[in-house]
């Protein structure tokens, strides 16, 4: 990547966005896919207002956030001026935050248990607003990680749709950090196909091109767009 000016050795956010978009397009072409079939969700967690201003100026309108309250702070005041904004919750959701999540997000990617499906259905009724949902699958069966286990996924998908009346768009996963991601991406794709689901949210800064080869429709990219996050 080229520096933004002789004074700065670091690429600007606009340059990073252009590079990621170009790489997404190249990965689509290499895989024989239409680039229009892949949505870039910019993961804006922890980012300061200046960074948000900079990425909005590039036309980016789809964002991923992993905490409800933090997202409210970042986006509530901007919503009125950004009619095309799409906010996607990509972090774990507690049932007592379901109503706030339903009020703010367009898509909740992390439905992983029946209790949460019930809370979302009640919240949707109360707020008269129905975000679309993805089911998060713990493809690596990691004990510390959120997501429903693969063997319980079909039942949760059916319950979310039929018992709770939620609009299930697709599936999401975060593969184990210490394994090649492709088998996890392939598992997610097969599971979606089997359940008639079209959205696959998979791939982050380190592996979004691999995810596109495996069929991702949504990639969630933070670091490659904004640079390293400040640790809280
Ligand atoms: C933070 C986060 C990302 C983005 O990770 P990067 O490696 O910074 O691109 C993607 N998905 C989820 C669920 C995250 O929490």
């Amino acid at each position: 990547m080229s520096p933004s000016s002789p004074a700065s050795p670091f690429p600007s956010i606009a340059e990073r966005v252009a590079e990621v978009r170009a790489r997404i397009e190249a990965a689509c072409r290499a895989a024989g896919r239409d680039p229009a079939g892949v949505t870039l969700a910019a993961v804006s967690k922890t980012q300061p207002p200046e960074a948000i201003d900079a990425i909005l100026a590039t036309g980016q309108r789809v964002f991923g956030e992993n905490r409800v309250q933090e997202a409210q702070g970042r986006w509530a005041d901007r919503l009125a001026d950004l009619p095309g904004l799409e906010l996607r919750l990509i972090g774990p959701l507690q049932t007592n935050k379901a109503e706030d999540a339903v009020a703010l997000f367009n898509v909740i990617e992390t439905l992983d248990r029946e209790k949460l499906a019930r809370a979302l259905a009640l919240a949707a009724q109360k707020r008269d607003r129905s975000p679309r949902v993805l089911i998060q699958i713990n493809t690596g069966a990691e004990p510390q990680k959120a997501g429903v286990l693969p063997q319980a996924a079909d039942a949760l998908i059916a319950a979310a749709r039929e018992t709770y009346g939620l609009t299930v768009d697709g599936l999401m996963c975060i593969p184990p950090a210490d394994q090649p991601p492709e088998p996890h991406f392939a598992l997610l794709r097969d599971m979606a196909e089997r359940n008639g689901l079209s959205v696959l949210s998979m791939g982050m800064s380190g592996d979004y091109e691999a995810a596109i080869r495996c069929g991702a429709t949504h990639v969630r990219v933070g670091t490659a767009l904004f640079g390293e996050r400040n640790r809280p």
Side-chain angles (χ1 to χ4, degrees), residues 41-126:
V43 177
S44 46
K45 62 187 180 195
T46 79
Q47 297 302 330
E50 311 81 70
I52 303 300
D53 290 340
I55 198 161
L56 285 169
T58 72
Q60 178 68 33
R61 288 295 180 272
V62 181
F63 291 89
E65 287 280 352
N66 69 345
R67 290 165 175 272
V68 176
Q69 257 178 313
E70 187 189 325
Q72 283 170 331
R74 185 165 296 111
W75 293 106
D77 290 346
R78 295 182 185 262
L79 289 175
D81 300 327
L82 294 167
L85 191 70
E86 179 173 293
L87 295 180
R88 308 178 67 93
L89 179 65
I90 61 173
L93 179 59
Q94 293 172 331
T95 50
N96 63 1
K97 301 260 175 64
E99 205 178 317
D100 288 340
V102 161
L104 180 65
F105 288 96
N106 303 94
V107 180
I108 293 171
E109 297 203 4
T110 50
L111 175 55
D112 63 356
R113 57 202 191 278
E114 189 160 343
K115 190 175 167 211
L116 180 58
R118 184 183 307 120
L120 288 173
L122 286 171
Q125 198 172 37
K126 202 163 158 194

Side-chain angles (χ1 to χ4, degrees), residues 43 45 66 90 172 174 204-205 220-223 229:
V43 177
K45 62 187 180 195
N66 69 345
I90 61 173
M172 178 270 215
I174 310 170
M204 319 196 332
S205 289
R220 310 178 306 269
V221 180
T223 309
R229 278 183 292 278

Side-chain angles (χ1 to χ4, degrees), residues 195-206:
N195 285 282
L197 297 168
S198 58
V199 171
L200 286 172
S201 172
M202 56 193 198
M204 319 196 332
S205 289

